[in-house]
C-alpha cells in the first residue's frame, strides 16, 4: 500500500473522531427545538412537548410528571406587573393555599420567583421570571420533587433560549 492511503486513512479516522466529539458534546443535536414567540429553546433531556402556542410552550417529563411552561410575557421588563397579575389569579383560585415571593440563583443571577402551594400536593411549584433580549419570560415549574433538578432544568432552558434569526424581529 502506498503511503498516501495510510495518510488518507489516518485523516478519515481523525475526522470521524472529531464528528463523534461534536455530536457527543452538543446540547441541541438529538434534542427538540421549540418556538416560543420569536425565540427558540432546546428542551432538556427526558422532556417532551405537551403543548405549545404562539407565546408559550409546555414541556413535560413523563417519568416524573414535572412540567415547565415557558411564556413570553411581552417586550420590555414586565416582571413586576406579571407578578401582580399572577398573584391576583392565585387569590381567586381556591386550589392555591399560599404564595410567597423569593429569589433563586441560577447561572450566577438572582431571579425573581413566585412560589405557591396547592391543596393536592406538597411538590415544589415556582414561577421564575427573567428578561432576555428586551423580552420578559416566565418559567412556570410544577410538580418538582427536587430543588436542584428544578434549577438545572431551568438553567438549561435559559442557556438555550435565543432569538430565532429566521423570523422578523421586533
Amino acid at each position: 500500500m502506498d503511503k498516501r492511503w495510510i495518510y488518507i486513512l489516518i485523516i478519515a479516522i481523525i475526522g470521524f473522531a472529531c464528528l463523534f466529539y461534536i455530536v457527543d458534546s452538543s446540547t441541541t443535536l438529538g434534542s427538540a427545538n421549540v418556538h416560543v414567540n420569536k425565540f427558540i429553546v432546546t428542551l432538556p433531556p427526558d422532556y417532551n412537548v405537551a403543548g405549545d402556542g404562539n407565546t408559550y410552550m409546555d414541556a413535560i417529563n413523563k417519568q416524573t410528571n414535572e412540567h415547565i411552561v415557558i411564556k413570553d410575557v411581552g417586550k420590555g421588563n414586565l416582571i413586576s406587573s406579571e407578578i401582580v397579575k399572577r398573584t391576583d389569579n392565585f387569590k381567586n383560585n381556591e386550589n392555591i393555599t399560599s404564595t410567597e415571593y423569593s429569589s433563586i440563583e441560577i447561572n450566577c443571577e438572582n431571579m425573581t420567583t413566585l412560589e405557591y402551594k396547592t391543596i393536592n400536593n406538597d411538590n415544589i411549584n415556582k414561577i421564575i421570571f427573567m428578561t432576555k433580549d428586551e423580552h420578559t419570560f416566565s418559567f412556570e415549574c410544577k410538580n418538582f420533587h427536587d430543588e436542584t433538578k428544578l434549577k438545572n432544568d431551568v438553567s438549561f432552558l435559559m442557556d438555550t433560549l435565543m432569538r430565532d434569526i429566521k423570523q422578523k424581529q421586533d
Side-chain angles (χ1 to χ4, degrees):
M1 228 161 107
D2 196 7
K3 283 187 176 182
R4 285 182 285 179
W5 286 106
I6 294 173
Y7 292 136
I8 292 172
L9 188 61
I10 290 172
I11 291 172
I13 291 171
I14 291 171
F16 282 121
C18 290
L19 284 175
F20 175 76
Y21 177 73
I22 290 170
V23 169
D24 189 45
S25 63
S26 175
T27 58
T28 57
L29 248 118
S31 298
N33 288 334
V34 183
H35 290 272
V36 178
N37 202 359
K38 296 182 180 191
F39 289 79
I40 294 177
V41 66
T42 303
L43 294 181
D46 300 328
Y47 279 85
N48 297 319
V49 176
D52 64 341
N54 187 33
T55 60
Y56 78 95
M57 184 271 309
D58 184 7
I60 183 172
N61 184 339
K62 292 185 178 180
Q63 297 168 347
T64 59
N65 200 29
E66 298 166 341
H67 280 266
I68 301 176
V69 179
I70 303 172
K71 183 178 178 187
D72 184 359
V73 177
K75 191 171 182 182
N77 189 347
L78 304 171
I79 292 175
S80 58
S81 63
E82 187 66 17
I83 287 176
V84 169
K85 185 173 126 183
R86 295 282 182 107
T87 305
D88 290 342
N89 288 345
F90 288 156
K91 286 178 184 175
N92 297 331
N93 190 342
E94 56 198 36
N95 292 331
I96 306 294
T97 58
S98 67
T99 59
E100 180 182 323
Y101 300 108
S102 62
S103 64
I104 188 171
E105 185 174 327
I106 299 175
N107 295 341
C108 299
E109 290 184 44
N110 283 327
M111 304 288 175
T112 306
T113 63
L114 179 61
E115 186 170 354
Y116 61 95
K117 298 285 183 189
T118 61
I119 293 173
N120 300 338
N121 60 29
D122 291 331
N123 293 339
I124 300 169
N125 300 304
K126 289 189 179 196
I127 303 174
I128 302 168
F129 299 96
M130 72 167 281
T131 56
K132 185 167 189 172
D133 293 334
E134 298 178 10
H135 278 257
T136 302
F137 292 93
S138 68
F139 295 82
E140 185 170 357
C141 308
K142 302 180 226 175
N143 297 328
F144 274 81
H145 305 288
D146 183 20
E147 181 88 19
T148 305
K149 182 166 181 352
L150 182 143
K151 286 181 181 180
N152 290 340
D153 290 346
V154 172
S155 173
F156 184 89
L157 289 168
M158 287 179 179
D159 288 343
T160 61
L161 182 69
M162 64 183 115
R163 286 190 178 268
D164 184 5
I165 58 173
K166 295 179 184 176
Q167 292 187 17
K168 184 180 176 195
Q169 301 297 316
D170 42 28

